Amino acid sequence: MAQTASEKILARASGRARVAPGDVVVARVDRAMTYDPYAGELRRRFAARWGGRARVWDPERLVLVADHFLDADAPDQRALLDGLDAFAREQGVRHYFPVGAPNHGVCHAVLPEEGLVRPGELIAGTDSHTCHYGGFGAIGLGVGLDAMEGILAVGRYWVEVPPMVRIEIEGRFATGVYAKDVILTLCRDLANERGLLGTAVELDGSAVQALHPEEKLTLANMAAELGARWLLVPPDDTVCAWVRDLGADGFEPQRPDPGARYARTWRYDACDFVPVVARPGAPDRVVAVDALEPTRFDEVYVGSCTGAKRFDLERFVDGLDALGGAAQGVRTLMVPATRRGHDWLLGDPARRALLERSRVEVAAQPGCNACFGGHGFLAGTGTVRLSTTNRNFPGRMGAKDAQVFLASPALAARAAAEGTLGP
């Protein structure tokens, strides 16, 4: 029987020849990830249930990252970082990325950069955007603390195979259309579709496969905003080569079989997509930028796993340079997703000069920063902000009355340079 890529991954992980929607399988987890908000609590729970000397099922498959609460001067945040560090030391975790490591930052950006996301694998993480890894052809499954506690003990997790849906985009995207425009448009069209909620999405087609590998991560990241369990872009040769260059090997990429069955299929032409923004309130409040009422921005924020990877930083910097730098009166904020990205951004004298001339504020520390409203470049009362992040619910990035629009890094550059978007 023909199978989807997701079904093949779950079948391999559970030792079966095939699986079908509705099956409940006990799947072997190839990699698990948790971070500073939860590591200390998981350490406490794990010791309480299994004993203080208990060890996780495989410390080589566990990844620990500091990315959310990074202010060591704040006692509550210092305690979270200490809990993460203690868990890493006690368990002998080699893939540990604390503040100050050669590479560190947002978990979902760090793992791909470090070759820890491999096509065809099942990755569980204690964050709703674990679906990010689907851009490299893996299943990224967000789980809660109870589930992660069990995974840490036995390396397995039961999964009810969800309904499979397919989105196809054929053709070639127009110049200026990026992955953020694509996924925001899909959120507009499909986020409230009952036939999509709780499903496994496979996003494919010639237009999708022509995107840069890091753009495919952007598509998968916002599966959470679509309401899907995960989103997987079947890996092509370019992605597989990219992953190998990052240090991964021995993986088995999975693509859907011809004739694989999907509960539903949506088909688009690439020409259906244009540059868009999501208006304040929700990621599905999407409108074409050319149809947006003229809007003046106080701030432009480039950050997050969705919008501050190396590819994203390049698009923003190139756009800002081409447009002559940031406009007077627009506060421009950048938080590279990882230390690698941060070092690239500031490693070239010409880029540094552009950023200084444009009065761009670059965070000293890569990480989640204001994306989740925890700390850093928070949006103030009454602020109108354009952001490359994935969510813009009221209060998400700071003040409840801040107006946060979502867009691609390319549109962020335009907003920074012109101070406005709209016709």
Side-chain angles (χ1 to χ4, degrees), residues 390-406:
N390 44 34
R391 289 176 179 163
N392 61 342
F393 306 124
R396 166 77 179 181
M397 296 193 76
K400 282 195 173 181
D401 66 347
Q403 300 293 298
V404 179
F405 293 72
L406 303 179

Side-chain angles (χ1 to χ4, degrees), residues 1 45 79 101 109 114 137 155 199 260 272 291 304 378 389:
M1 179 185 295
R45 289 187 180 202
E114 293 296 316
T199 63
D272 296 333
S304 85
L378 300 178
T389 54

Side-chain angles (χ1 to χ4, degrees), residues 54-103:
R55 293 294 174 261
V56 300
W57 97 105
D58 188 346
E60 284 294 309
R61 294 181 181 271
L62 176 60
V63 185
L64 298 177
V65 185
D67 70 355
H68 267 60
F69 297 100
L70 305 179
D71 184 359
D73 293 330
D76 55 341
Q77 296 190 30
R78 178 72 262 174
L80 293 173
L81 296 174
D82 287 345
L84 181 77
D85 189 68
F87 200 30
R89 285 187 288 102
E90 291 169 1
Q91 297 295 337
V93 175
R94 183 168 64 90
H95 300 303
Y96 173 40
F97 301 94
V99 177
N103 194 25

Side-chain angles (χ1 to χ4, degrees), residues 156-398:
R156 295 181 181 275
Y157 179 59
W158 71 267
V159 181
E160 181 175 357
V161 181
M164 302 284 148
V165 302
R166 180 175 173 86
I167 303 173
E168 296 177 3
I169 309 175
E170 299 292 348
R172 184 173 182 176
F173 294 121
T175 300
V177 174
Y178 293 95
K180 190 64 168 288
D181 302 302
V182 174
I183 194 62
L184 286 176
T185 300
L186 295 179
C187 284
R188 179 196 66 193
D189 292 354
L190 305 177
N192 296 308
E193 282 277 349
R194 294 185 63 183
L196 185 71
L197 297 176
T199 63
V201 176
E202 295 191 359
L203 179 54
D204 207 349
S206 57
V208 173
Q209 293 299 351
L211 292 172
H212 186 280
E214 287 194 346
E215 285 277 81
K216 295 176 182 179
L217 294 172
T218 296
L219 296 174
N221 181 279
M222 292 186 66
E225 284 65 48
L226 276 175
R229 291 292 305 279
W230 61 79
L231 186 156
L232 187 148
V233 179
D236 63 0
D237 292 343
T238 300
V239 162
C240 290
W242 185 269
V243 171
R244 289 188 186 96
D245 286 345
L246 293 170
D249 57 16
F251 52 85
E252 298 179 12
Q254 302 293 338
R255 290 191 57 83
D257 294 325
R261 293 185 178 181
Y262 296 91
R264 191 164 178 184
T265 298
W266 284 273
R267 293 182 174 88
Y268 287 83
D269 190 286
C271 65
D272 296 333
F273 296 87
V274 297
V276 298
V277 297
R279 291 169 294 184
D284 61 355
R285 301 191 68 240
V286 172
V287 61
V289 68
D290 289 344
L292 177 71
E293 59 278 7
T295 302
R296 176 164 293 279
F297 295 96
D298 306 308
E299 297 178 350
V300 171
Y301 179 95
V302 178
S304 85
C305 49
T306 323
K309 304 177 294 300
R310 167 71 177 270
F311 182 88
D312 304 319
L313 300 177
E314 290 175 355
R315 299 291 75 70
F316 179 78
V317 170
D318 289 349
L320 195 64
D321 189 27
L323 293 167
Q328 189 73 30
V330 180
R331 188 183 182 201
T332 306
L333 311 165
M334 295 187 75
V335 189
T338 67
R339 175 55 59 182
R340 283 189 187 179
H342 187 280
D343 291 349
W344 172 85
L345 182 66
L346 299 182
D348 177 73
R351 278 195 297 273
R352 288 201 308 274
L354 170 67
L355 298 175
E356 290 170 5
R357 185 171 68 251
S358 299
R359 302 167 303 283
V360 175
E361 300 173 51
V362 180
Q365 175 62 49
C368 296
N369 201 281
C371 176
F372 73 111
H375 62 88
F377 294 145
L378 300 178
T381 299
T383 298
V384 181
R385 169 179 287 193
L386 188 83
S387 175
T388 66
T389 54
N390 44 34
R391 289 176 179 163
N392 61 342
F393 306 124
R396 166 77 179 181
M397 296 193 76

Side-chain angles (χ1 to χ4, degrees), residues 39-57:
E41 175 63 12
L42 281 166
R43 174 177 176 253
R44 185 193 66 77
R45 289 187 180 202
F46 193 72
R49 183 176 296 274
W50 307 106
R53 302 177 70 178
R55 293 294 174 261
V56 300
W57 97 105

